[in-house]
Amino acid sequence: MMAAIILCLVADVPDGTTLLCRDRARIRIAGLETGDRAPPRGRRALAALTIGKTVSCLPAGNEGPYIVAKCALPDKRDLACTLIRAGAAVRSDVAWRRYGLGDC
């Protein structure tokens, strides 16, 4: 069975890897480093790209209360790759393999 795409109207961005949806869903963007390894400007960049917009996310797993998902911006750009290219996120090779993410 294929996972259903989640349409997340982004209400808030608490850090550089997490989206809080208007419906209260919490989505962690698959494949990105978190914590000390995440660039400090990651939150600002993620917020600028997503707050008030509807992001489509394909669930890949769970981490505690978070849905881990591969997400795309309204213009269909991969969200993780967009952040990495902008220098606002760092790729986690372990998570990239775990969730079977493709090339940017």
Side-chain angles (χ1 to χ4, degrees), residues 40-60:
R41 65 189 185 113
R43 183 196 168 284
R44 286 190 313 275
L46 183 57
L49 286 167
T50 63
I51 289 183
K53 297 178 183 154
T54 300
V55 176
S56 58
C57 298
L58 182 62

Side-chain angles (χ1 to χ4, degrees), residues 77-102:
R77 287 181 293 157
D78 181 273
L79 185 51
C81 292
T82 300
L83 291 167
I84 291 167
R85 283 189 196 110
V90 175
R91 176 179 156 157
S92 166
D93 290 331
V94 171
W96 210 264
R97 283 189 302 274
R98 178 185 318 143
Y99 297 117
L101 304 173

